[in-house]
Amino acid sequence: MFVYADNAATTSVSKTALDAMMPYLTTNYGNPSSLYSFAQEVTEDVAKARADIAACIGATPREIYFTSGGSEADNQAIISAAKAGEKKGKKHIISTKFEHHAVLHTLNKLKKEGWDVTLLDVHEDGVVRLEDLEKAIREDTCLVTIMFANNEIGTVQPIKEIGALCRSKGIPFHTDAVQAAGHMAIDVNDMNIDMLSLSGHKFHAPKGIGALYVKRSIPLFNLIEGGAQERGKRGGTENVAGIVAMAAALKESCSQMEENTAKIIPMRDKLFAELSKIPHSKINGSLEHHVPGTVNMCFEGIEGESLLLMLDAYGICASSGSACTSGSLDPSHVLLSIGLPHEVAHGSLRLSIGEYNTMEEIDHIIEVVPQVVEKLRNMSPVWDELQKGQRPHII
Ligand SMILES: *Cc1c(COP(=O)(O)O)cnc(C)c1O
């Protein structure tokens, strides 16, 4: 049995998205910047896609800028706000320790260029505290960037309250909503969001297309110079097929959100309930404030990498840490940020399921994971020491 349980890394392209994009890869190949009517139809379709995406998050079409994905949207939002802050003599940015690397590495770059960056602690439940944010705010804070939902542990932040606090202090607020868009209801006005990043391939559109929402009153600077596309804020011929597919996928995900959530939650709950019967296992973060599909657990005494390889042999695609850090032997910065000791953070498993998964697949995972954990523990010198009482159990 093949089970794809890594939807937080990427998703399959839906039939709706594929059907929507096909004409632009075949017959409707005009460049939206061209003046003849053959291309002008494409221009209109891009405008319609922009309006559809705006409507899904409660924005206006003028506030949507297409990018190459979530990473570029994060980079542009942060660098733009940093530059706007610098003009006013403000060079302090607040974020959290468990952001995606698209955010953390951009902040590192700014730090080297003289910005001061405060990274808030994330508590054991994987949720940032408002008091911590309030204490960190300074006169010279020019940006707060806090992710909507975490990509490794799935925890959701109090975005509306964070936005309200930032607005009361006159500080722009950006959120990386790549894991939330298409999976949770988002209203940028109601939630006091000034900038928001999303990425198509996390909700069944193709890879390489994303969008940045920027509230009208917020200045936006270019990352990519070029033509006058995206109202002069992002040069480069539009990825028309990607844009149209992303709009179709987001529209579908948003219109089916309730049904999808109702389908995913029982699968996730069963997964968690059964896997937590494994002795010395623990959920990372909490399931209380959470995206529907992601479960991240750790199992003491084993290596996450070996677990993944063995699951692969049973046809199960899962992940430990994020796709971007796998391949390196460092434990995930997200798991360390919620206080997991290194040795436990190494033994973690992220299963991220979506509406295309079935209960039969969940049953397969539930059957395989306990066997594999036991097998690995039997081979593990660390587990042996734990069993003999030569080292204390942490979980
Ligand atoms: C996947 C992801 C990104 C990166 O998006 P790309 O479109 O792959 O560049 C950024 N942030 C989060 C939280 C993600 O999950």
Side-chain angles (χ1 to χ4, degrees):
M1 191 178 209
F2 174 77
V3 182
Y4 185 75
D6 204 14
N7 287 276
T10 196
T11 60
S12 60
V13 175
S14 66
K15 184 171 185 311
T16 304
L18 190 62
D19 288 347
M21 78 192 288
M22 275 312 264
Y24 305 92
L25 298 170
T26 51
T27 47
N28 301 4
Y29 50 81
N31 184 328
S33 299
S34 305
L35 289 177
Y36 33 77
S37 52
F38 171 62
Q40 280 310 299
E41 273 176 35
V42 179
T43 311
E44 283 163 27
D45 296 339
V46 169
K48 188 172 174 306
R50 197 184 305 277
D52 285 344
I53 287 171
C56 287
I57 60 168
T60 61
R62 285 172 62 92
E63 296 172 313
I64 302 296
Y65 300 86
F66 293 118
T67 66
S68 65
S71 300
E72 186 189 326
D74 284 343
N75 273 256
Q76 188 169 9
I78 293 168
I79 290 173
S80 182
K83 285 190 181 163
E86 188 180 30
K87 286 191 175 172
K88 297 181 186 163
K90 297 183 174 188
K91 292 182 76 173
H92 176 236
I93 300 173
I94 302 172
S95 187
T96 75
K97 288 185 179 160
F98 79 159
E99 297 295 313
H100 190 273
H101 282 139
V103 169
L104 287 179
H105 290 173
T106 303
L107 293 175
N108 270 342
K109 186 164 95 171
L110 288 169
K111 221 166 147 176
K112 284 189 195 127
E113 293 170 11
W115 272 264
D116 201 2
V117 176
T118 302
L119 296 183
L120 301 176
D121 275 319
V122 187
H123 291 246
E124 199 188 345
D125 59 1
V127 180
V128 173
R129 298 294 185 271
L130 275 184
E131 311 87 83
D132 294 348
L133 171 60
E134 193 154 17
K135 273 185 225 144
I137 290 175
R138 307 192 320 212
E139 278 295 309
D140 63 342
T141 305
C142 62
L143 171 69
V144 170
T145 172
I146 295 180
M147 70 200 314
F148 202 117
N150 184 270
N151 47 303
E152 289 186 38
I153 56 178
T155 52
V156 173
Q157 307 308 310
I159 292 300
K160 183 174 175 168
E161 291 76 14
I162 292 172
L165 177 58
C166 292
R167 205 152 279 180
S168 76
K169 307 271 183 187
I171 303 166
F173 169 47
H174 166 252
T175 185
D176 173 340
V178 172
Q179 290 292 329
H183 306 286
M184 301 187 74
I186 297 175
D187 184 315
V188 288
N189 291 312
D190 178 56
M191 294 176 161
N192 310 304
I193 298 167
D194 294 319
M195 291 188 276
L196 175 145
S197 308
L198 57 84
S199 171
H201 75 100
K202 305 292 173 77
F203 51 79
H204 303 293
K207 296 158 189 64
I209 184 70
L212 175 63
Y213 152 80
V214 183
K215 194 178 169 66
R216 272 184 84 168
S217 54
I218 300 288
L220 183 65
F221 296 103
N222 288 50
L223 214 57
I224 296 177
E225 301 297 341
Q229 293 92 354
E230 301 305 303
R231 300 178 41 243
K233 303 297 184 190
R234 202 276 187 184
T237 304
E238 295 87 343
N239 173 359
V240 175
I243 288 169
V244 172
M246 179 166 70
L250 189 60
K251 217 170 136 181
E252 182 171 67
S253 296
C254 290
S255 69
Q256 297 176 356
M257 198 175 288
E258 267 178 48
E259 296 131 76
N260 289 346
T261 304
K263 188 179 174 209
I264 295 167
I265 296 268
M267 293 196 282
R268 179 200 73 188
D269 285 349
K270 186 169 184 189
L271 203 52
F272 171 63
E274 293 301 318
L275 296 187
S276 55
K277 289 181 185 163
I278 297 175
H280 302 286
S281 64
K282 181 180 167 304
I283 183 112
N284 294 320
S286 80
L287 285 183
E288 202 176 325
H289 307 282
H290 217 277
V291 286
T294 303
V295 181
N296 191 316
M297 298 187 66
C298 50
F299 306 102
E300 207 177 7
I302 62 169
E303 285 285 340
E305 310 271 314
S306 329
L307 181 58
L308 294 187
L309 290 176
M310 291 189 68
L311 291 181
D312 186 30
Y314 285 96
I316 299 171
C317 304
S319 124
S320 79
S322 73
C324 322
T325 48
S326 61
S328 84
L329 283 174
D330 290 336
S332 131
H333 69 286
V334 172
L335 298 179
L336 296 180
S337 81
I338 59 167
L340 285 195
H342 276 246
E343 57 271 39
V344 180
H346 269 302
S348 74
L349 173 68
R350 177 186 74 183
L351 295 159
S352 45
I353 54 174
E355 66 273 25
Y356 296 168
N357 288 110
T358 63
M359 218 29 127
E360 288 68 40
E361 293 175 347
I362 300 303
D363 289 339
H364 181 61
I365 299 174
I366 290 167
E367 195 187 318
V368 169
V369 172
Q371 292 174 27
V372 169
V373 168
E374 194 181 326
K375 213 176 209 172
L376 286 171
R377 280 178 172 171
N378 287 338
M379 306 188 307
S380 155
V382 173
W383 185 250
D384 192 42
E385 288 172 23
L386 286 164
Q387 290 299 92
K388 289 181 181 150
Q390 292 163 348
R391 63 157 82 202
H393 281 288
I394 298 171
I395 53 175

